[in-house]
Amino acid sequence: QVKLMESGGGTVEAGGSLRLSCETSGYTENYVCVGWFRQAPGKRREKVATINYNGSPRYEEPAQGRFSITISKDNGKNTVHLQMNSLKPEDSAMYTCAAGLWFECGARNDFGYWGRGTQVTVSL
């Protein structure tokens, strides 16, 4: 059973930075695609960025130019980090990571495994 655990959320002033982490476990495949999604109250969930096991990133519009997604492997576990810079109040949302056991992320949204999320709040 694939498990995901997010960390790193919190409250930051506009213009500040946060680094979110998503630790993955529970699978033996060497390949995985991990994505970050966010959802603000009253809004639809939107994809922010994805990365595959080889470190190939893909950014959606909210993340371009300000966010960076990376993947590292420690003790056999893949951890995906989302570095968020120049944060704006409109970036405030619940950020959730998701995983799919695929070689490539592409434009897929049918992730089968989800974490519980970490709250990001950006104040003026």
Side-chain angles (χ1 to χ4, degrees), residues 1-4 27 33 35 96-101 110-115:
Q1 179 74 15
V2 178
K3 295 183 179 179
L4 306 170
Y27 58 98
C33 166
T96 306
C97 66
L101 295 178
D110 56 328
F111 291 80
Y113 307 97
W114 293 82

Side-chain angles (χ1 to χ4, degrees), residues 79-91:
T79 299
V80 172
H81 306 282
L82 184 68
Q83 177 67 42
M84 305 187 295
N85 300 322
S86 302
L87 284 163
K88 307 173 183 179
E90 50 265 42
D91 293 317

Side-chain angles (χ1 to χ4, degrees), residues 91-114:
D91 293 317
S92 296
M94 179 67 75
Y95 284 71
T96 306
C97 66
L101 295 178
W102 314 315
F103 287 101
E104 299 291 343
C105 296
R108 300 183 70 159
N109 290 310
D110 56 328
F111 291 80
Y113 307 97
W114 293 82

Side-chain angles (χ1 to χ4, degrees), residues 38 48 59 62-63 65-69 82-85 87 91:
R38 69 184 188 185
V48 176
Y59 298 97
R66 297 186 298 126
F67 295 1
S68 175
I69 188 169
L82 184 68
Q83 177 67 42
M84 305 187 295
N85 300 322
L87 284 163
D91 293 317

Side-chain angles (χ1 to χ4, degrees), residues 4-65:
L4 306 170
M5 181 172 292
E6 302 98 336
S7 61
T11 300
V12 65
E13 292 185 350
S17 299
L18 280 175
R19 187 177 188 238
L20 307 182
S21 296
C22 174
E23 182 180 293
T24 71
S25 62
Y27 58 98
T28 58
E29 290 83 351
N30 291 325
Y31 47 87
V32 67
C33 166
V34 178
W36 280 100
F37 291 76
R38 69 184 188 185
Q39 187 169 21
K43 295 188 176 181
R44 297 182 66 177
R45 184 172 63 195
E46 61 179 347
K47 186 162 59 177
V48 176
T50 60
I51 193 166
N52 78 339
Y53 70 106
N54 268 342
S56 178
R58 180 185 175 107
Y59 298 97
E60 304 301 325
E61 191 277 332
Q64 291 179 0

